[in-house]
Amino acid sequence: MRRPKSRASRKQQKNNEVQEIDILKEWIESQKPESGSNPLALDPLKSKSPIGRIVDPESDAVSFSSYAGARKFYELPISKRTKNGLERGGFKKMTDIQVASLPHALCGRDILGAAKTGSGKTLAFVIPVLEKLHRERWGPEDGVGSIIISPTRELAGQLFDVLKTVGKYHTFSAGLLIGGRKDVDVEKERVNELNILICTPGRLLQHMDETPNFDCSQLQVLVLDEADRILDIGFKKTLNAIVSQLPKRRQTLLFSATQTKSVQDLARLSLKDPEYISVHEKAVTATPNRLQQTAMIVPLEQKLDMLWSFIKAHLKSKILVFLSSCKEVKFVFEAFKKLRPGIPLKCLHGRMKQEVRLGIYSQFCESRSVLFSTDVASRGLDFNQAVDWVVQVDCPEDVASYIHRVGRTARYLSGGRSILFLTPSEMKMLEKLQAAKVPIQFIKANTKRLEPVSKLLSALLVKYPDMQQLAQRAFITYLRSIYIQKDKEIFDVTKLPIDDYSASLGLPMTPKVRFLNQKKKSKNESEKSTLVESKTLDMENEPAIAKEELLVEDVKDNKEDKDFLLKDAPDLGEGNANETGDIMPATRILKKKKLKINVHRPVGTRVVFDEEGNTQAPLAMLAEKTSGEIQLDQDKKNEYYKKMREELKQVDKEDKLLERQRLRENRMKKKMKLKKGQREYDEGDEEDDISGSEGEADANKKRKRSKIYFHSDSEDEKEEIKADSAGINADSISLAEQEQLALKLLNSMHS
Ligand SMILES: Nc1ncnc2c1ncn2[C@@H]1O[C@H](COP(=O)(O)OP(=O)(O)OP(=O)(O)O)[C@@H](O)[C@H]1O
């Protein structure tokens, strides 16, 4: 048991510390590296040279060792507390980025640091943070002294662990502020007592907006890890709002494997003559040397076959698989889990609960398994036991994204391998990677060893109706992810074999993809071309059953659509949740939500009941189970579809009749409105207005007209909704009367 320290020894320790701080300050100031110099280019210190304060015994003259050429942590002007923490973490020799940046950062300069993935950038900013606050003798009453911002919650958690290790012997208080945690009220009570905050942008801004007396006015050091990501358009508004509340006099450290050089970005952070430290700029490759990278063409419809075969062939490996959407991750995970490949499977994406996310992350750190993930795991994460393989099933959005994804393997001194699946239309990506110094080898897929999985998936979808929904959503969100990509040289949704892709997921019919139809429509309008369309996009000619039964783009799906839009939309600051899942503060103006009304929805899901009254998937009734396998008789299936088509045709006929009648009524209403004139309409509006002031009444009117946004399938329906929202009561006049009136109107117009 440790004996409590006596008052005298505590006093002695304090004096020693004050002395140490004075020496550190003097040492740092006297041996500052020249601004713009590269410490990595200097010769290392001689092994037996004295370190720190050197007193000449003869003349009593005091000098300090040069720290710019330091290669080991103990050669740096840092406190004993930090040195002990580093030793505890097993850190002795510095990595290149640490050698190059720490001397500049310790003397208070702003840093723009770039180095390959897994090269030790975290310590390059954690050490200066601890040292700055230590030298300033920061205490609990001083409040927030440093803020470290990370783009994802998992990465923030990991940074917090590093801070805890290296800062173990310091007395600062530190807090992890990330979205998705329920204890925000507890956080609010304590956040003002914390000295170091590690946070995701959304949660930090939430505290700035909502926590009473939240004060960052004394901030000393701001750190942006994965700086290019935090500075990009997705976080733009949030970051601008954060920075506007921070003092301008501070040190700013930016680190990433793919650093931003945009002057505009840097201006937003008001950096002062930053040191641009890019240790691997002249390196032959942009990725770690121990990483073996391959790419191969995999047609879209074979991706799952290839992935399944790959997993089956690497059952003893730790594999990280990247897919482009949460719903794809969910579907592939659930489907492969049911097919039991013989290795534990896990999945990670931004729509999972925070505790589950952290649980999965730490489980994957500990064990050999396959983790299916979105880009939420692409940056910064350092999985304890090395990842053997990174498999990119869906093409990354750009070169930077590729570099971060593959960077989850081959970290520090370990090796690793990666494979990228490219569809034939995505081959341009290979050129872009090679141009960006990514040494990637193109290989041919060995199709002989391919284990087709789509038939198994079809059977699964019949057996588990929920899986069918998941597959449909995966299908649509994948197409949408391609559709919204910025780089149209690589991503062209019109080149995808969507029917084959749908079949490869086990889907019996290709789901309707509304945004593709819209794209098709607008293309036709702009080109004013005749109706020559590729077969793959001709969804209108699909059998009626495909339209009705498999229509899956419902309101729920809009959530996922947002997920994708986050990638390139600047709306992170205005939506409710970003990829990190952070809740955006309510004080900002919320964008008016477009309400999607799916006119087909009531018949979108066909519910069939078995004899006991349980719901069943329509095709499940036709399936037969022979020797444990589920089989569908093709004739029965065809017959079933034929019957359904006929039924639907009949319903369709009736619907069309009704629809025509409704449209006629709408046209009448419109003309009526025109005739009655704006004056009458305004009067009606004023009657409703109870605001009292003219200005407000005006604003109210505007609001009334623009408040409701509808998204409907047909222009006609939009017209109908607009008419209704303009307050015209369709019941107040009969159809016959309306027709008569319209005729009169027309006659008077032509006479
Ligand atoms: N000086 C060092 N000595 C030994 N190990 C180190 C040293 N510096 C860092 N490491 C280890 O190297 C691994 C990668 O470090 P880190 O996570 O900081 O990389 P990074 O450059 O931030 O990567 P990324 O770009 O992917 O975020 C970690 O496991 C870390 O503990």
Side-chain angles (χ1 to χ4, degrees):
M1 210 174 83
R2 246 206 258 167
R3 260 190 295 160
K5 282 182 186 162
S6 69
R7 218 171 144 192
S9 88
R10 276 206 310 271
K11 200 170 170 193
Q12 182 59 40
Q13 195 187 352
K14 206 172 170 188
N15 286 342
N16 290 347
E17 219 158 76
V18 172
Q19 235 177 15
E20 186 196 51
I21 288 172
D22 289 342
I23 291 174
L24 287 175
K25 282 182 176 169
E26 246 186 286
W27 184 4
I28 288 173
E29 194 51 37
S30 68
Q31 296 297 316
K32 260 188 194 172
E34 233 175 79
S35 182
S37 67
N38 178 7
L40 200 56
L42 299 174
D43 287 338
L45 303 183
K46 291 208 177 81
S47 62
K48 288 206 176 126
S49 10
I51 302 296
R53 189 170 186 265
I54 307 156
V55 185
D56 184 342
E58 281 173 18
S59 63
D60 269 359
V62 174
S63 64
F64 290 90
S65 59
S66 157
Y67 60 89
R71 297 292 193 274
K72 297 188 182 110
F73 288 113
Y74 78 86
E75 296 168 348
L76 290 172
I78 54 177
S79 62
K80 198 153 185 305
R81 289 178 190 261
T82 300
K83 281 182 185 164
N84 289 344
L86 286 165
E87 209 173 295
R88 190 167 171 269
F91 304 116
K92 288 193 174 113
K93 265 187 80 182
M94 289 189 265
T95 64
D96 285 358
I97 183 68
Q98 293 157 4
V99 171
S101 68
L102 280 170
H104 289 293
L106 286 170
C107 63
R109 293 181 183 143
D110 287 353
I111 305 279
L112 212 69
K116 292 180 188 182
T117 51
S119 60
K121 293 184 286 294
T122 313
L123 287 184
F125 59 77
V126 165
I127 296 172
V129 163
L130 289 169
E131 286 304 296
K132 175 71 183 170
L133 299 189
H134 178 71
R135 288 197 308 270
E136 295 298 325
R137 305 193 59 207
W138 212 257
E141 67 287 350
D142 294 313
V144 179
S146 178
I147 295 177
I148 300 175
I149 305 181
S150 141
T152 65
R153 300 169 188 176
E154 285 74 12
L155 180 55
Q158 186 182 290
L159 298 179
F160 193 63
D161 290 341
V162 176
L163 182 77
K164 277 196 292 186
T165 306
V166 184
K168 181 170 169 62
Y169 302 101
H170 283 279
T171 52
F172 310 126
S173 53
L176 177 65
L177 311 180
I178 55 176
R181 286 163 65 131
K182 290 190 194 107
D183 46 4
V184 66
D185 291 332
V186 182
E187 264 180 32
K188 282 179 186 172
E189 278 168 28
R190 298 212 183 139
V191 74
N192 277 327
E193 295 157 21
L194 298 173
N195 301 140
I196 303 174
L197 308 180
I198 297 197
C199 40
T200 46
R203 188 60 148 224
L204 175 61
L205 190 55
Q206 188 181 359
H207 280 292
M208 286 179 157
D209 280 358
E210 296 174 7
T211 304
N213 309 323
F214 183 69
D215 181 18
C216 299
S217 60
Q218 299 306 310
L219 186 83
Q220 303 291 306
V221 193
L222 170 70
V223 179
L224 265 56
D225 192 15
E226 306 298 339
D228 58 327
R229 174 77 186 98
I230 295 174
L231 282 162
D232 84 10
I233 200 147
F235 286 113
K236 190 172 177 178
K237 286 181 184 167
T238 312
L239 189 71
N240 286 352
I242 290 171
V243 171
S244 70
Q245 300 190 44
L246 301 178
K248 283 224 161 67
R249 244 177 86 95
R250 57 162 199 263
Q251 184 180 15
T252 307
L253 308 175
L254 312 183
F255 282 89
S256 181
T258 48
Q259 190 57 280
T260 181
K261 288 179 196 158
S262 147
V263 178
Q264 272 180 349
D265 281 343
L266 305 178
R268 282 161 61 205
L269 290 168
S270 1
L271 295 192
K272 292 178 296 295
D273 306 324
E275 295 293 328
Y276 182 65
I277 296 164
S278 175
V279 288
H280 301 120
E281 202 167 38
K282 294 204 173 80
V284 188
T285 63
T287 44
N289 297 341
R290 291 180 188 80
L291 174 62
Q292 286 176 40
Q293 303 167 70
T294 41
M296 61 185 181
I297 291 194
V298 182
L300 183 58
E301 66 277 16
Q302 279 180 15
K303 272 187 178 179
L304 290 189
D305 296 343
M306 188 59 79
L307 178 61
W308 176 255
S309 313
F310 182 90
I311 293 173
K312 294 284 280 180
H314 296 88
L315 293 179
K316 294 210 157 56
S317 302
K318 184 156 162 166
I319 306 169
L320 178 56
V321 177
F322 284 106
L323 295 148
S324 56
S325 78
C326 300
K327 281 173 184 165
E328 267 188 286
V329 165
K330 262 192 220 165
F331 170 67
V332 177
F333 166 68
E334 290 295 340
F336 281 20
K337 199 170 68 174
K338 289 188 168 62
L339 298 175
R340 297 172 183 272
I343 180 171
L345 305 180
K346 300 179 169 55
C347 75
L348 188 73
H349 55 77
R351 302 230 156 258
M352 294 167 99
K353 283 206 173 119
Q354 185 49 30
E355 307 82 71
V356 182
R357 262 170 80 165
L358 288 175
I360 301 276
Y361 164 66
S362 33
Q363 279 169 25
F364 187 62
C365 283
E366 298 310 321
S367 63
R368 170 193 61 85
S369 53
V370 180
L371 177 67
F372 300 102
S373 179
T374 56
D375 273 330
V376 76
S378 69
R379 278 183 179 253
L381 295 187
D382 187 60
F383 300 102
N384 261 356
Q385 274 176 23
V387 171
D388 300 299
W389 279 97
V390 169
V391 183
Q392 302 192 51
V393 174
D394 291 336
C395 184
E397 63 175 317
D398 52 25
V399 172
S401 172
Y402 172 92
I403 289 175
H404 287 281
R405 282 177 173 188
V406 292
R408 295 320 98 211
T409 182
R411 297 180 68 73
Y412 189 49
L413 300 177
S414 58
R417 288 193 277 181
S418 71
I419 186 148
L420 168 68
F421 295 178
L422 291 171
T423 63
S425 57
E426 288 165 352
M427 280 302 283
K428 191 90 188 154
M429 186 66 173
L430 203 60
E431 282 172 38
K432 296 201 174 190
L433 289 171
Q434 281 159 350
K437 299 201 291 187
V438 174
I440 188 166
Q441 199 194 349
F442 184 70
I443 56 168
K444 262 194 155 178
N446 182 359
T447 42
K448 276 185 208 146
R449 290 180 64 191
L450 207 63
E451 280 189 46
V453 81
S454 46
K455 279 204 182 116
L456 298 175
L457 292 177
S458 302
L460 267 188
L461 264 50
V462 171
K463 189 173 173 193
Y464 303 99
D466 290 355
M467 288 297 299
Q468 186 156 343
Q469 290 239 327
L470 276 183
Q472 287 165 347
R473 292 199 167 127
F475 169 85
I476 286 180
T477 52
Y478 172 75
L479 294 182
R480 186 176 286 279
S481 77
I482 300 296
Y483 176 64
I484 64 166
Q485 290 289 356
K486 275 184 249 158
D487 192 341
K488 297 296 175 204
E489 267 191 321
I490 300 175
F491 302 100
D492 184 350
V493 77
T494 62
K495 288 191 181 146
L496 299 178
I498 58 174
D499 291 332
D500 294 343
Y501 173 49
S502 154
S504 76
L505 302 183
L507 285 166
M509 289 284 170
T510 307
K512 174 173 171 159
V513 189
R514 197 173 293 141
F515 56 87
L516 285 189
N517 288 336
Q518 278 165 1
K519 186 181 166 79
K520 192 176 67 180
K521 239 192 234 168
S522 60
K523 206 172 158 189
N524 285 350
E525 276 163 17
S526 65
E527 287 173 3
K528 291 196 170 58
S529 64
T530 45
L531 281 169
V532 186
E533 284 182 359
S534 76
K535 171 146 185 3
T536 49
L537 285 181
D538 195 359
M539 308 301 291
E540 301 298 347
N541 292 335
E542 286 293 323
I545 189 166
K547 274 200 216 166
E548 303 294 346
E549 225 184 271
L550 302 177
L551 202 115
V552 290
E553 275 193 291
D554 56 11
V555 179
K556 263 194 246 156
D557 241 11
N558 293 343
K559 264 189 180 176
E560 181 72 15
D561 299 349
K562 257 199 144 187
D563 231 10
F564 281 111
L565 292 168
L566 295 183
K567 272 196 184 159
D568 67 344
D571 291 335
L572 270 173
E574 293 182 342
N576 288 330
N578 54 28
E579 173 71 342
T580 68
D582 289 352
I583 304 299
M584 305 312 282
T587 48
R588 260 134 320 124
I589 310 148
L590 289 174
K591 207 169 193 176
K592 282 165 197 152
K593 253 193 180 165
K594 283 191 181 182
L595 178 62
K596 250 189 185 180
I597 293 183
N598 178 357
V599 287
H600 300 285
R601 201 151 62 96
V603 287
T605 325
R606 190 179 173 81
V607 184
V608 179
F609 297 91
D610 66 10
E611 281 163 8
E612 280 143 25
N614 302 317
T615 54
Q616 266 204 347
L619 289 178
M621 296 187 314
L622 312 175
E624 276 172 17
K625 215 175 172 185
T626 40
S627 63
E629 280 200 19
I630 300 158
Q631 290 191 340
L632 266 178
D633 183 323
Q634 194 57 37
D635 290 341
K636 274 189 187 174
K637 202 167 128 184
N638 291 344
E639 204 181 307
Y640 173 78
Y641 283 141
K642 199 174 153 201
K643 205 175 126 209
M644 291 306 304
R645 245 175 262 145
E646 273 158 18
E647 270 181 31
L648 283 165
K649 250 187 211 165
Q650 188 53 37
V651 177
D652 198 37
K653 235 186 199 172
E654 289 162 17
D655 278 355
K656 275 180 184 153
L657 251 168
L658 266 172
E659 181 68 4
R660 242 175 273 150
Q661 201 173 329
R662 265 190 341 169
L663 290 178
R664 212 178 303 142
E665 283 179 28
N666 287 340
R667 277 195 292 274
M668 289 302 131
K669 274 189 257 169
K670 241 181 127 180
K671 282 170 196 158
M672 285 265 304
K673 190 180 128 191
L674 270 174
K675 187 65 191 164
K676 276 187 171 180
Q678 192 65 34
R679 195 180 53 81
E680 202 176 321
Y681 169 60
D682 284 348
E683 274 168 15
D685 236 22
E686 268 158 26
E687 270 167 34
D688 287 342
D689 176 36
I690 49 161
S691 61
S693 95
E694 240 181 76
E696 261 182 276
D698 240 41
N700 270 359
K701 262 183 245 166
K702 267 180 211 153
R703 236 177 292 138
K704 258 185 203 161
R705 278 170 223 155
S706 59
K707 190 167 62 184
I708 310 165
Y709 290 82
F710 290 95
H711 174 105
S712 73
D713 266 352
S714 73
E715 281 304 310
D716 298 319
E717 193 190 341
K718 268 188 205 158
E719 278 175 19
E720 179 191 336
I721 290 163
K722 269 194 225 153
D724 280 347
S725 67
I728 295 172
N729 185 355
D731 296 334
S732 61
I733 183 163
S734 78
L735 185 62
E737 282 169 326
Q738 285 176 33
E739 273 178 344
Q740 263 189 358
L741 217 107
L743 266 174
K744 261 193 214 163
L745 269 173
L746 280 172
N747 287 339
S748 65
M749 275 161 77
H750 290 294
S751 61

